[in-house]
Amino acid sequence: MFWKRTLPVAIAFIFGIIGVALYYIPHQVAQDGLNTFNGWLRIIQGFALFIGFASLLRLHWTKMKRKSEGWGYSIFVFIGFIVTIGFSLYNEGHYFLESRVSDGKVDWIYLNIVYPATSTMFAMLAFFVASAAFRTFRARSVEAAILLIAAVIVMFGKTPFAAMISDSIPEFAQWLLAVPNLAVKRALYFGICLGSISTSLRIIFGIERSYLGGE
Amino acid sequence: MKLIGFLRLLILSMALGLGTAYAVPDLPDDFTAMDTPDDAGYSATLSWSVVPGETADMEYVIEVAENQDGPWYQAAAIPATLSHRTNFPGIYGFADDNINYHALNIDTYAVPSQEEIGQVDKVRLKNGQDYFFKLSSRMDGTSSDTFRVVKTQVYGNYFSMRKLNNFIIMLFVAFFVLFFIFKAKRNPGKLFLRKISGLDAVDEALGRATEMGKPVFFIHGIATMAEIPTIASINILSRVAQKVAEFDTTLKVTNYDPIVMAVSQETVKEAYVKEGRPDAFVQENVSLTAADQFSYAAAVDGMMVREKPAANFFMGTFFAESLLLSETGASTGAIQIAGTDSYTQLPFFVTTCDYTLMGEELYAASAYLSREPKLLGSIKGQDMGKAALIVLIIVGSILSSFGVEFLTHLLKSM
């Protein structure tokens, strides 16, 4: 009970209070403390990365072993992992004790494989937007109809044709963004800030313990 | 005649030019220096009155020395028409006559480089050290005959007074939240919470997954464990995992961050233990999916298409991957519940998901699902804080409309 409940709650309380205090203390001692905590976080992050990779590889190894659906893709996970780690450790003949050599094989892999692949995913977003917009803009309710009209005005107002017809159209489109849209955004933001404070207090004072597996 | 006229004009122009060069206004007598408040130190703030006759081509020069006898090193040279107290509301407030005073922060000064002749090194002011600041002026390369010298010490501060308004509001909201938590503890069952459809649908989604014999996907956002939305999503995961364990269906949790993964594994495991089903917990079902934004989106999309989950939960902070994930989920026919504080992504989730928890609903979800009085009390406290803010906004808007900026300035972040 002590290790699984009391200690984590006590740590959350102490570091929660320190975290809040550091925000209001500009003194160098406080800032140095914050940097130290951030350093600890980076160390934990480094160890956690090993756990993460171990989890990823175990998952794909199990998939390959069981010949689960799509197990062939798991082979590429291992190939990618081994090749990238191998070239990183080799470091163009300087090995891993020296700083990474730029423009080497790892950079080549990033620029010629990872970068185009992620860019492709990002580019696909355009088609996803079109698909989602088509579904949303079917004016089946009053709300959907308002959304449709507002979206058409804003989209059209941002094109050069709108200003050619009338200066009022881009102005109205901008008004929609700057007034009703911004008002709603701010309302949401207030709720988010208050929710953050409330959640933080619940965790700092040990009232919310679901992150420890429930009450 | 023309030549003589031209020479006269030339002599007159030269005389006027020389006249301007020597017409450097007198320096004010109220030159002051002080430690810059609300900072870690290493900085002094200087101030002096605006004097009549200042022009854009006139400069004020600030020099620094550790002894009154020098050596003096230049710290700044600013055009005389710039840098007023109005630029430093955190120090000088919003007084109307701030425009009648110059103000300047000094944190470094230039000393001749020991290594390269003709170059200068920037030296930072040291905490606890006395410094002398000299104010002089110059115009067209001609310096004023007079100067002013003041002395101060710079040091770090232990409380940022410019964050006092923020601190008071934080205490105020914290008081409300804690008050209602303790009130709810004493009188459970007297709290009303409005219906949140997205959370009422959790049971429906999990029931559907159980009936169909298909898995439930819990998809974390791409923020780290240090972000509050991630903590809120972990709280929701715990409640969902308990119900999943109760319904005996499969829960798969996709993670972007290894620490979030480790916390999720423990949370799900504990939830299964709590429901008396530790044997049903499969560690591989809570794994790191990818540690790159679009790789994560691609991997989760692939999982959705292959495994056709009955329900998808998107919880946490999302960016451009939100639509890639939720649209793919929608195309597989899964019932989808999203919860995020990323208001730029909300339209995408509203479009593609069956239910969306917007902003604060994400934080309220854990309390709503658990129905624990203490947690519900915190929601009530949060709502009281919101009500107080609404009143402040309305009163502030009215006062501001009538030109009374007191409340606006009081609540301003500086």
Side-chain angles (χ1 to χ4, degrees):
Chain A
M1 194 65 175
F2 174 77
W3 295 106
K4 288 219 157 194
R5 287 281 182 276
T6 315
L7 187 64
V9 169
I11 291 172
F13 176 77
I14 293 165
F15 282 90
I17 295 291
I18 291 173
V20 172
L22 288 180
Y23 178 72
Y24 297 103
I25 304 172
H27 199 279
Q28 192 59 45
V29 173
Q31 299 312 310
D32 289 345
L34 188 63
N35 290 337
T36 305
F37 293 149
N38 287 336
W40 292 356
L41 203 64
R42 280 197 292 275
I43 293 168
I44 295 170
Q45 191 85 34
F47 279 107
L49 210 56
F50 278 109
I51 300 170
F53 284 137
S55 152
L56 182 74
L57 295 178
R58 192 169 56 230
L59 174 78
H60 285 280
W61 179 255
T62 312
K63 276 180 86 174
M64 281 160 52
K65 210 164 70 177
R66 290 180 188 159
K67 298 263 189 314
S68 310
E69 191 188 351
W71 68 273
Y73 299 119
S74 299
I75 297 172
F76 287 96
V77 174
F78 276 90
I79 292 172
F81 186 79
I82 291 164
V83 169
T84 312
I85 289 278
F87 280 128
S88 300
L89 296 177
Y90 177 64
N91 197 18
E92 307 302 307
H94 295 273
Y95 300 100
F96 56 90
L97 290 178
E98 285 187 34
S99 303
R100 190 174 65 83
V101 174
S102 54
D103 295 331
K105 303 282 186 303
V106 177
D107 285 352
W108 188 92
I109 290 170
Y110 182 77
L111 287 173
N112 294 285
I113 300 174
V114 179
Y115 188 65
T118 52
S119 300
T120 305
M121 281 302 290
F122 191 46
M124 281 168 62
L125 201 56
F127 300 101
F128 280 71
V129 168
S131 156
F134 175 75
R135 201 149 8 94
T136 309
F137 292 162
R138 281 177 294 178
R140 286 182 300 191
S141 61
V142 178
E143 290 89 346
I146 292 170
L147 190 67
L148 172 65
I149 294 164
V152 168
I153 292 170
V154 172
M155 283 193 288
F156 185 63
K158 292 286 170 190
T159 63
F161 302 110
M164 286 160 73
I165 296 168
S166 165
D167 285 339
S168 307
I169 300 174
E171 280 171 19
F172 184 59
Q174 189 53 37
W175 179 85
L176 279 176
L177 288 174
V179 182
N181 184 273
L182 192 64
V184 173
K185 264 194 203 171
R186 284 184 180 164
L188 273 168
Y189 200 64
F190 276 125
I192 289 165
C193 293
L194 288 166
S196 300
I197 295 174
S198 175
T199 305
S200 306
L201 286 170
R202 290 202 302 253
I203 289 171
I204 288 172
F205 289 101
I207 294 156
E208 173 78 80
R209 298 181 196 181
S210 46
Y211 67 99
L212 299 171
E215 192 62 17
Chain B
M1 274 307 277
K2 275 186 180 175
L3 183 67
I4 292 167
F6 174 74
L7 285 171
R8 272 182 188 166
L9 197 64
L10 189 67
I11 291 163
L12 184 65
S13 311
M14 283 171 71
L16 278 173
L18 288 173
T20 339
Y22 286 111
V24 182
D26 287 338
L27 289 169
D29 294 323
D30 60 352
F31 178 51
T32 57
M34 63 173 179
D35 168 62
T36 303
D38 315 321
D39 69 354
Y42 315 108
S43 167
T45 300
L46 315 178
S47 180
W48 64 99
S49 303
V50 168
V51 290
E54 286 178 352
T55 53
D57 53 354
M58 175 186 162
E59 280 185 325
Y60 281 115
V61 180
I62 307 292
E63 290 168 280
V64 180
E66 291 186 6
N67 297 300
Q68 195 160 8
D69 303 329
W72 292 93
Y73 301 108
Q74 185 169 318
I78 54 157
T81 50
L82 297 180
S83 200
H84 296 87
R85 283 187 180 182
T86 45
N87 300 115
F88 303 95
I91 301 173
Y92 296 106
F94 297 90
D96 290 338
D97 68 339
N98 277 351
I99 195 69
N100 298 324
Y101 293 90
H102 287 289
L104 193 63
N105 272 352
I106 299 291
D107 53 9
T108 56
Y109 56 94
V111 298
S113 174
Q114 301 288 327
E115 290 162 6
E116 272 188 84
I117 297 166
Q119 297 297 311
V120 291
D121 291 331
K122 289 274 182 191
V123 177
R124 197 180 181 200
L125 299 190
K126 289 185 287 242
N127 280 352
Q129 168 77 48
D130 285 334
Y131 285 102
F132 294 87
F133 294 91
K134 186 201 275 185
L135 173 73
S136 58
S137 61
R138 69 183 176 207
M139 191 188 277
D140 292 338
T142 306
S143 298
S144 59
D145 297 331
T146 55
F147 57 85
R148 304 278 182 268
V149 175
V150 287
K151 178 187 161 189
T152 194
Q153 192 181 72
V154 297
Y155 49 87
N157 305 106
Y158 287 98
F159 184 79
S160 177
M161 288 302 285
R162 68 179 70 180
K163 288 181 182 170
L164 184 65
N165 52 4
N166 180 299
F167 184 68
I168 291 169
I169 292 171
M170 191 270 292
L171 286 182
F172 182 72
V173 176
F175 168 77
F176 269 130
V177 171
L178 293 175
F179 174 77
F180 280 101
I181 285 171
F182 289 113
K183 197 177 170 196
K185 204 173 160 186
R186 279 203 299 272
N187 300 309
K190 285 193 173 179
L191 290 166
F192 168 77
L193 208 60
R194 76 173 166 83
K195 205 170 151 62
I196 302 176
S197 310
L199 295 172
D200 288 337
V202 168
D203 281 349
E204 179 196 337
L206 299 181
R208 183 173 184 262
T210 311
E211 281 172 16
M212 293 171 77
K214 287 186 173 179
V216 173
F217 276 18
F218 191 97
I219 296 150
H220 276 298
I222 62 167
T224 64
M225 202 62 225
E227 305 291 327
I228 299 176
T230 312
I231 298 171
S233 65
I234 290 284
N235 292 336
I236 299 168
L237 172 64
S238 172
R239 310 291 176 197
V240 169
Q242 279 177 32
K243 287 181 192 269
V244 163
E246 185 189 332
F247 291 175
D248 194 20
T249 188
T250 307
L251 172 67
K252 292 202 171 185
V253 184
T254 64
N255 297 279
Y256 168 85
D257 181 85
I259 296 181
V260 176
M261 180 207 76
V263 176
S264 297
Q265 280 180 344
E266 281 302 306
T267 304
V268 175
K269 192 176 167 184
E270 286 294 323
Y272 274 72
V273 170
K274 195 181 172 196
E275 287 300 315
R277 300 285 324 279
D279 54 304
F281 173 68
V282 180
Q283 194 160 323
E284 279 79 23
N285 286 346
V286 187
S287 63
L288 185 77
T289 311
D292 172 82
Q293 184 185 17
F294 290 110
S295 307
Y296 181 66
V300 177
D301 281 357
M303 286 168 69
M304 282 182 194
V305 171
R306 281 192 298 275
E307 300 184 34
K308 302 253 181 323
N312 292 328
F313 291 88
F314 303 96
M315 297 289 164
T317 300
F318 290 87
F319 297 94
E321 73 287 350
S322 66
L323 187 63
L324 293 172
L325 294 168
S326 55
E327 180 67 3
T328 306
S331 72
T332 62
I335 182 166
Q336 302 203 108
I337 301 172
T340 186
D341 67 332
S342 317
Y343 50 76
T344 52
Q345 304 305 317
L346 276 172
F348 299 127
F349 280 134
V350 169
T351 305
T352 51
C353 294
D354 299 280
Y355 302 96
T356 305
L357 306 176
M358 291 196 269
E360 64 187 309
E361 290 176 344
L362 173 71
Y363 302 105
S366 175
Y368 190 92
L369 290 172
S370 70
R371 293 278 163 188
E372 283 171 32
K374 282 190 288 181
L375 296 179
L376 293 177
S378 71
I379 308 292
K380 178 96 173 169
Q382 185 183 321
D383 282 350
M384 291 305 288
K386 202 194 298 174
L389 280 183
I390 289 169
V391 171
L392 278 175
I393 289 169
I394 292 170
V395 173
S397 304
I398 292 168
L399 289 177
S400 189
S401 303
F402 286 99
V404 183
E405 301 288 349
F406 166 73
L407 198 57
T408 314
H409 292 159
L410 200 66
L411 298 175
K412 204 173 173 73
S413 165
M414 289 180 284

